[in-house]
Amino acid sequence: MTRPAGEGLSDEERYDQGMSVRREVLSNQHVDRAIAGTTALTADFQDFITRVAWGDIWSRPGLDRRARSVSVITALIAHGHHEELAMHLRAGLRNGLTVDEIREIILQSAVYSGVPAANTAFRIANEVFAAE
């Protein structure tokens, strides 16, 4: 089975595609900070997430970026990955979600991921949106 819109890409092409998508979703400022903070220990990981997460998964045609943001925000809330949630709340806004839609995502997560998880997500969202 071939991958949609990704068949035949070299690692370098996937990296370049991934870096483009990563910058569009997270912002140049965020990506520049992440790249500047790369160390010998984290270099392989930065390459991996750029090629795989951004160059493969976020680049697939099956979901638009709004839907991908909904999915990511929900997963981060469900798994308690608070350190990534603020970044992806900002990305959700860049991908066209509204604050009202993000509120609904967090409310929905309260039912399926737990009230404490949603409570923490609302705290983080308040911090993010107060700074926007």
Side-chain angles (χ1 to χ4, degrees), residues 6-19 51 55:
E7 55 275 1
L9 292 180
S10 69
D11 277 349
E12 183 178 355
E13 290 166 327
R14 283 188 308 139
Y15 181 90
D16 291 344
Q17 176 174 280
M19 186 57 73
R51 282 183 300 104

Side-chain angles (χ1 to χ4, degrees), residues 19-84:
M19 186 57 73
S20 176
V21 171
R22 189 176 178 190
R23 287 182 177 284
E24 290 169 9
V25 171
L26 299 179
S27 82
N28 285 328
Q29 182 182 13
H30 174 85
V31 175
D32 289 345
R33 248 190 340 266
I35 298 302
T38 300
T39 66
L41 180 64
T42 63
D44 289 342
F45 180 69
Q46 285 295 320
D47 176 69
F48 171 77
I49 62 172
T50 301
R51 282 183 300 104
V52 177
W54 299 104
D56 281 337
I57 302 304
W58 274 85
S59 297
R60 292 177 60 85
L63 293 174
D64 64 15
R65 289 189 184 163
R66 283 174 46 85
R68 289 188 191 283
S69 281
V70 170
S71 175
V72 170
I73 290 167
T74 301
L76 293 173
I77 293 169
H79 293 284
H81 295 301
H82 307 133
E83 71 284 353
E84 297 276 320

